[in-house]
């Protein structure tokens, strides 16, 4: 990259462009991502606290509904001034950039999300702060990877490290942040990806606790199920929340299409107005989401308030997310699940004689079930329940409830998460099959042939003989004004031998475009590309091979190797 300081050169020795980093180097990069993400998230939390204080002063004037309305109008006007490509933020944006843009996250979108989430959460919109936290963490990883000019497969891994750091620091659940990244963002498990992601989550969590004075925490007061007689109630809770989560996901997808037809300033203002009106009837809506969740998890919310707050959060966050308001979807789904689970526990205690501890128990199980079903991330939800409760005894009940909710959601929603739905709404392909996973993981450097030579299309016998002395596999020919191609060196050797047998003079020429041989049209692909990108380049160009190149700081293009279709297919190994 241009303009790099001299002190950065040692970094290039540790992380050379010519090869993907090993696990030790990746672990070091994961720590760097975590530290950078932790600082960015600390800034986010501090600004949100400041914004909440400012908007609370507005609400103290006996007009509390003005805060969400004013915040939404301000956000709408700000986003209206932005170009559409700079408005996309949050979890869906991260997954889109990983799948379709090699993990390159624009810095401007991250700053937009930072400012937008501060206003949205500070003014009481029904969105979570973890969307911006994961976005800032992912952007930190992307910037580090691109600055060091690492392969795109490595950049994607660093984006996952940063996103895990954001989730871990948001909820104080480092392990859940790691599993969430593996299930939702990078969509695969590997040792090379797991080690740096764990280090990133731990680093970010530690930094956030040092710098954030009032770190949001969740308090859980629950026990394991007391008897197998409670199993039917767990089944009812899981199935019911599975249906609610499917309705929630489809509502967001449908509303996104409807509100997308409106100017973004109007759609955000309508979402803010809806939050303000709901808050007039249910003032709990205006409270901080962590505070409400703690009330539900400790059984302090009355049953009617729990039910209405859960439904209000589902409806209000659907409108907010559909209007493209910045913020996360995880927090609303967790809050709604906790409230609905708490209401279910209250009713079970009052009508069915369940112990009073069931209120807190069902609230925690509802939190995990709703989150797991909406995101189609059951393992993440189970880890969240385990980390929040601190009791392994919770796992039996949690596994039953979460998995049932996920299964019901998949049956109703067609096995798609809310992320996949929103990506498809944007007209983007959401590929998560084993072939795509494997191809995204492998760099072109691992599959290309470095044994090639540059050749002119017209060669004298002497020049051809000299060129073949190095025994290359391929000759790369890039004629002026014509399509580049590679030719098997063996075919060139046959042509040379035939010319020598015919006793042609040394100055006689061989035309590589006309001799019989294995000749394949070529297209370029970047040195940092993955095999998935290489495959897409082959498909889009119609070429039969690729030459792997990189542009230097002096605007020169250096070619490193040749990648054929057969070499690409040979490098693929099913998971």
């Amino acid at each position: 990259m241009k303009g790099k300081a001299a002190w950065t050169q040692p970094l290039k020795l540790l992380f050379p462009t010519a090869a993907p980093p090993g696990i030790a180097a990746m672990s070091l990069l994961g720590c760097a991502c975590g530290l950078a993400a932790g600082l960015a998230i600390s800034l986010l939390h501090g600004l949100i606290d400041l914004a909440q204080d400012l908007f609370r002063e507005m609400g103290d004037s006996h007009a509390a509904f003005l805060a969400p309305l004013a915040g939404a109008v301000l956000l709408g006007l700000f986003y209206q001034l932005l170009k559409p490509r700079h408005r996309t933020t949050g979890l869906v944006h991260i997954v889109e950039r990983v799948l379709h843009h090699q993990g390159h996250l624009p810095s401007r979108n991250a700053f937009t999300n930072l400012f937008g989430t501060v206003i949205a959460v500070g003014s009481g919109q029904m969105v979570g702060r973890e969307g911006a936290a994961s976005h800032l963490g992912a952007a930190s990883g992307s910037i580090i990877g691109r600055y060091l000019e690492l392969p795109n497969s490595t950049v994607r891994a660093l984006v996952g490290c940063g996103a895990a750091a954001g989730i871990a620091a948001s909820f104080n659940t480092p392990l859940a942040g790691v599993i969430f990244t593996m299930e939702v963002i990078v969509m695969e498990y590997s040792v090379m990806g797991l080690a740096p992601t764990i280090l990133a989550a731990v680093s970010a969590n530690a930094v956030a606790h040092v710098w954030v004075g009032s770190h949001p925490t969740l308090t859980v007061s629950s026990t394991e199920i007391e008897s197998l007689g409670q199993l039917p109630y767990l089944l009812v809770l899981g199935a019911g929340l599975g249906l609610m989560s499917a309705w929630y996901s489809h509502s967001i997808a449908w509303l996104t299409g409807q509100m997308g037809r409106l100017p973004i300033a109007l759609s955000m203002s309508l979402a803010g107005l809806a939050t303000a009106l709901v808050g007039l009837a249910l003032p709990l809506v205006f409270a901080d989401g962590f505070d409400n969740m703690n009330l539900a998890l400790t059984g302090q919310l009355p049953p009617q308030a729990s039910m209405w707050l859960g439904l209000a959060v589902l409806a209000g966050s659907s409108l907010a997310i559909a209007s493209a308001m910045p913020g996360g979807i995880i927090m609303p789904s967790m809050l709604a699940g906790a409230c609905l689970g708490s209401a279910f526990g209250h009713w079970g205690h009052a009508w069915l004689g369940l112990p009073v501890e069931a209120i807190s128990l069902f609230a925690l199980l509802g939190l995990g079930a709703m989150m797991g079903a909406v995101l189609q991330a059951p393992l993440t939800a189970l880890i969240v329940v385990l980390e929040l409760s601190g009791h392994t005894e919770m796992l039996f009940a949690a596994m039953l409830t979460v998995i049932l909710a996920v299964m019901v959601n998949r049956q109703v929603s067609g096995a798609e998460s809310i992320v996949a739905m929103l990506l498809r709404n944007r007209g983007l392909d959401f590929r998560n099959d084993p072939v795509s996973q494997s191809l995204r993981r492998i760099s072109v450097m691992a599959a290309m042939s470095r044994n090639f030579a540059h050749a002119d299309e017209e060669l004298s016998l002497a020049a051809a003989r000299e060129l073949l002395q190095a025994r290359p596999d391929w000759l790369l020919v890039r004629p002026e004004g014509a399509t580049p191609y590679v030719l098997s060196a063996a075919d060139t050797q046959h042509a040379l031998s035939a010319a020598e047998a015919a006793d042609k003079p040394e100055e006689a020429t061989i035309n590589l475009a006309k001799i019989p041989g294995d000749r394949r049209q070529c297209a370029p692909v970047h040195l940092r590309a993955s095999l998935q990108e290489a495959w897409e380049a082959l498909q889009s160009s119609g070429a039969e091979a690729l030459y792997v190149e990189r542009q230097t700081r002096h605007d020169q293009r250096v070619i490193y190797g040749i990648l054929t279709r057969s070499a690409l297919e040979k490098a693929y190994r099913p998971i």
Side-chain angles (χ1 to χ4, degrees):
M1 296 177 77
K2 296 181 181 180
K4 285 188 176 179
W7 66 268
T8 63
Q9 295 310 309
L11 294 175
K12 298 301 294 177
L13 299 177
L14 286 173
F15 311 109
T17 306
I23 190 167
M26 280 298 299
S27 297
L28 182 60
L29 288 170
C31 286
C33 288
L35 294 174
L39 291 173
I41 293 160
S42 299
L43 174 64
L44 169 69
H45 284 223
L47 292 176
I48 286 176
D49 290 342
L50 178 61
Q52 286 177 332
D53 291 339
L54 293 174
F55 279 105
R56 282 195 190 102
E57 291 181 5
M58 178 184 297
D60 287 342
S61 60
H62 306 290
F65 69 93
L66 288 178
L69 181 57
V73 171
L74 177 61
L75 273 175
L77 293 175
F78 170 62
Y79 269 66
Q80 192 69 55
L81 298 175
L82 296 174
K83 294 180 180 179
R85 69 175 183 271
H86 296 146
R87 297 172 183 169
T88 56
T89 58
L91 178 58
V92 177
H93 175 71
I94 297 171
V95 176
E96 174 193 345
R97 301 303 295 190
V98 167
L99 289 178
H100 299 281
H101 299 276
Q102 301 80 52
H104 293 197
L105 274 71
S107 300
R108 184 173 297 186
N109 294 61
F111 284 115
T112 297
N113 200 6
L114 172 62
F115 174 79
T117 301
V118 167
I119 300 300
V121 177
S123 62
Q125 311 300 330
M126 295 188 196
V127 291
R129 64 183 71 192
E130 82 288 338
S134 59
H135 191 163
L136 291 171
S140 300
S142 178
I143 290 170
I144 291 172
R146 287 182 289 141
Y147 189 81
L148 295 175
E149 299 182 16
L150 298 173
N152 289 337
S153 56
T154 304
V155 175
R156 289 190 184 93
L158 295 181
V159 168
C161 289
I167 298 299
S170 294
F171 297 108
N172 194 26
T173 53
L175 183 55
V178 173
I179 302 302
F180 171 81
T181 296
M182 298 295 178
E183 280 193 301
V184 178
I185 296 178
V186 299
M187 293 173 286
E188 61 178 345
Y189 294 88
S190 66
V191 175
M192 279 293 292
L194 192 61
T197 306
I198 290 175
L199 291 173
V202 172
S203 301
N205 212 37
V207 171
H209 276 85
V210 170
W211 288 96
V212 179
S214 57
H215 194 281
T217 57
L218 295 177
T219 303
V220 177
S221 172
S222 58
T223 62
E224 70 276 11
I225 58 173
E226 295 189 353
S227 68
L228 295 180
Q230 293 182 14
L231 290 182
Y233 306 112
L234 298 180
L235 295 176
V236 173
L237 177 64
L241 290 180
L243 291 173
M244 291 297 296
S245 65
W247 170 81
Y248 181 51
S249 299
H250 282 289
S251 296
I252 293 174
W254 182 80
L255 286 169
T256 299
Q258 302 304 310
M259 300 191 79
R261 303 172 184 175
L262 304 175
I264 194 166
L266 178 58
S267 62
M268 286 190 179
S269 298
L270 289 175
L273 178 61
T275 299
L277 293 176
V278 170
L280 289 176
L282 189 64
L284 275 173
V285 167
F286 296 138
D288 183 79
F290 281 93
D291 294 338
N292 282 334
M293 201 182 305
N294 279 326
L295 291 175
L297 290 173
T298 53
Q300 297 180 51
L301 280 179
Q304 296 296 328
S306 293
M307 182 190 69
W308 287 115
L309 181 58
L311 295 176
V313 169
L314 291 178
S317 61
S318 297
L319 283 169
I321 294 165
S323 69
M325 191 172 287
I329 194 173
I330 300 177
M331 180 68 171
S333 63
M334 291 172 66
L335 175 56
C339 289
L340 294 175
S342 175
F344 186 83
H346 273 291
W347 294 327
H349 171 63
W351 301 340
L352 303 174
L354 293 177
V356 69
E357 291 83 5
I359 299 172
S360 181
L361 171 67
F362 286 5
L364 182 58
L365 295 177
L367 178 153
M370 181 66 77
M371 175 191 177
V374 169
L375 296 174
Q376 287 296 295
L379 189 53
T380 299
L382 291 174
I383 297 299
V384 166
V385 170
L386 179 60
E387 287 191 295
L388 290 179
S389 68
H391 297 291
T392 56
E393 297 87 354
M394 289 290 305
L395 281 179
F396 175 75
M399 290 170 69
L400 185 63
T401 310
V402 170
I403 295 303
L404 183 58
V406 171
M407 289 173 57
V408 171
N409 182 289
R410 287 175 70 89
Q411 188 67 31
V412 176
S413 299
E416 280 196 327
S417 68
I418 184 61
V419 175
M421 284 186 180
L422 293 177
L423 281 173
R424 293 192 192 282
N425 273 6
R426 296 182 185 180
L428 297 173
D429 186 16
F430 183 77
R431 289 163 296 175
N432 191 30
D433 55 276
V435 174
S436 296
Q437 286 182 354
S438 183
L439 293 179
R440 283 197 298 266
R441 191 187 309 122
I442 306 172
S443 170
V444 293
M445 290 181 283
M448 70 184 185
S449 170
R450 301 173 188 267
N451 191 22
F452 76 101
H454 295 273
D456 295 326
E457 194 165 50
E458 196 84 19
L459 291 175
S460 66
L461 298 187
R465 189 178 298 110
E466 182 180 358
L467 197 63
L468 293 172
Q469 282 180 351
R471 298 183 180 278
D473 294 328
W474 299 98
L475 298 182
L476 174 62
V477 183
R478 294 192 294 169
E480 190 73 27
T483 303
Y485 59 88
V486 290
L487 176 69
S488 168
D491 294 325
T492 307
Q493 181 64 59
H494 289 319
L496 175 63
S497 300
E500 290 174 336
D503 199 22
K504 291 188 177 181
E506 288 292 299
E507 62 271 15
T509 61
I510 299 174
N511 191 320
L512 299 183
K514 295 181 180 179
I515 63 173
D518 183 8
R519 195 177 294 103
R520 307 182 188 187
Q521 289 187 338
C522 271
V525 68
H526 198 278
L527 179 67
R528 293 161 58 186
S530 66
L531 289 189
Q532 177 67 38
E533 297 161 68
W535 178 256
E536 292 171 354
L538 287 171
Q539 295 297 98
S540 62
S541 65
E544 300 164 292
L546 301 169
Y547 57 90
V548 182
E549 67 173 10
R550 170 175 170 261
Q551 187 173 0
T552 68
R553 66 181 66 186
H554 302 297
D555 292 330
Q556 297 177 338
R557 293 187 179 274
V558 180
I559 298 176
Y560 290 82
I562 303 297
L563 180 65
T564 62
R565 284 180 181 267
S566 57
L568 189 152
E569 293 168 358
K570 186 178 179 180
Y572 162 69
R573 292 290 182 272
I575 295 177

